[in-house]
Amino acid sequence: MEGGSAAGEAAALREALRLLRIEPSAAGPSAARAGGAEPCSRNVLRKRRRWERVLAARRRRRRQERERSRARRAGGRGAARRHSKALAEERLLEARASGPRLCVDLGMADSMTLKETSRLASQIRRLYGANRQAEKPFWLYLTEFVVGSLIYEECFRMNDGFSNYLMDTTQESYLDLFPLDAIVYLTPDSENVLEDIDPKKVYILGGLVDESIHKKLTLRRAQEQSLQTARLPILPDVLQPVEYVAWLAMDNSVRAWYIPLFLTVFDVLSTYYKTRSWPDALKAGVSSGKGYVLPDAEKPCQE
């Protein structure tokens, strides 16, 4: 009787669970035992959870490895940048100690418009960046860089980190800083050709942009100060004897001198100081868009 009663209770329980849509195995082990051979899903659930934990651990490991890889790459790039920066600073400081020196004369900046002054400030930034990356840099000076002047304000406005540039800026004139016999003023109107770069000399570039072509202004300034002058070995008039490069006139009816930007002059000087070859320096620093002739060339090169 007791066995029959237990069997009846189990049957009634199963029917109740069925009506409630609950699997018999979910009613607990006693119900499973009472029902006989109903399969238990706990092992399946346990295995599923274990596999989910394994997958989650794998995802974490992959994510961590990617983060470590990114950190290693960033660290490598950062180390390379730090090394490059340290090397550039070392070269600049060596130029400061032993030359050569290049000075941008800002004493004529007041004669320029705001637009021209802004362009000059931009060229100073580019000049500094090119010199900083050069294998054999110059030590740069900005002279007559008067606090509160337009060029002073534009340099700080347009150039991030300008105050940290590795160069000398001063309100003084180059005449107060260097002996007269050490100064060479570079002007396109000079009769003297620059043949070599002497580390003991100070080379002066007039702080003007191409929109401010004041004929022979830099030459007159240098002559008034009794300074040596020189020009790059460029003859823009094709009818004159060719030295290293002869520039063709834009208009054949007008034979005008080519007046290069001081940034162009720097590119030529920097390349020459590295290669000791004027043809290589002029080709590297000056575009051949207007056409030029090398001494051994039969006809002008044109783009």
Side-chain angles (χ1 to χ4, degrees), residues 5-293:
S5 176
E9 290 176 0
L13 179 59
R14 283 197 298 273
E15 181 62 16
L17 294 175
R18 186 183 67 80
L19 294 174
L20 294 173
R21 300 190 179 206
I22 300 176
E23 291 296 330
S25 60
S30 59
R33 286 194 298 270
E38 290 291 342
C40 181
S41 62
R42 287 184 176 180
N43 288 336
V44 175
L45 185 60
R46 187 181 301 113
K47 290 178 181 178
R48 183 181 301 151
R49 290 174 177 170
R50 184 183 302 118
W51 181 243
E52 289 174 351
R53 289 194 296 270
V54 170
L55 291 178
R58 288 181 180 177
R59 285 193 292 269
R60 283 196 300 272
R61 285 195 297 271
R62 285 195 294 267
R63 184 170 61 252
Q64 291 169 356
E65 182 58 33
R66 286 195 299 269
E67 291 174 354
R68 285 194 292 267
S69 179
R70 283 195 295 266
R72 285 194 297 269
R73 289 196 298 269
R77 289 192 296 268
R81 284 194 295 268
R82 288 191 294 272
H83 175 72
S84 177
K85 180 180 179 181
L87 186 59
E89 291 179 355
E90 180 181 344
R91 290 169 176 166
L92 287 173
L93 293 176
E94 182 178 349
R96 183 180 190 179
S98 58
R101 292 161 292 181
L102 193 65
C103 171
V104 179
D105 172 19
L106 298 176
M108 298 172 287
D110 289 342
S111 64
M112 293 187 296
T113 65
L114 174 59
K115 179 181 177 181
E116 292 167 347
T117 303
S118 297
R119 291 191 61 189
L120 177 59
S122 176
Q123 288 189 32
I124 289 173
R125 180 187 68 245
R126 293 168 59 193
L127 170 67
Y128 176 77
N131 186 60
R132 191 174 181 276
Q133 296 301 319
E135 291 185 19
K136 299 181 71 175
F138 292 75
W139 181 253
L140 299 180
Y141 292 83
L142 299 183
T143 56
E144 298 191 49
F145 189 59
V146 179
V147 176
S149 65
L150 186 57
I151 184 61
Y152 180 93
E153 298 295 339
E154 287 298 285
C155 281
F156 278 93
R157 183 183 70 83
M158 297 183 63
N159 305 331
D160 292 338
F162 182 82
S163 59
N164 296 322
Y165 282 8
L166 275 179
M167 63 180 181
D168 283 333
T169 60
T170 176
Q171 298 189 71
E172 295 182 277
S173 167
Y174 45 84
L175 298 174
D176 301 320
L177 299 176
F178 312 111
L180 288 183
D181 59 0
I183 299 174
V184 178
Y185 208 114
L186 299 177
T187 169
D189 301 303
S190 176
E191 295 181 355
N192 307 314
V193 175
L194 182 65
E195 296 181 354
D196 198 5
I197 294 177
D198 185 350
K200 297 180 181 179
K201 298 289 187 180
V202 181
Y203 297 94
I204 310 297
L205 296 179
L208 295 171
V209 295
D210 57 344
E211 292 184 22
S212 295
I213 301 178
H214 303 282
K215 192 65 175 176
K216 296 186 178 182
L217 176 60
T218 51
L219 178 62
R220 289 197 301 270
R221 183 172 172 83
Q223 289 174 339
E224 290 170 359
Q225 297 170 343
S226 302
L227 299 176
Q228 303 175 61
T229 64
R231 61 173 170 82
L232 296 181
I234 296 176
L235 283 176
D237 190 338
V238 74
L239 300 181
Q240 297 188 36
V242 175
E243 290 168 316
Y244 293 100
V245 172
W247 283 84
L248 304 181
M250 294 294 291
D251 184 350
N252 289 333
S253 65
V254 179
R255 292 182 293 170
W257 287 97
Y258 168 69
I259 301 181
L261 301 175
F262 78 83
L263 188 60
T264 299
V265 176
F266 168 77
D267 288 339
V268 173
L269 293 175
S270 179
T271 304
Y272 173 77
Y273 190 50
K274 175 185 175 183
T275 65
R276 296 293 175 176
S277 167
W278 281 117
D280 290 345
L282 290 162
K283 284 189 292 185
V286 186
S287 169
S288 59
K290 296 184 179 69
Y292 60 80
V293 180

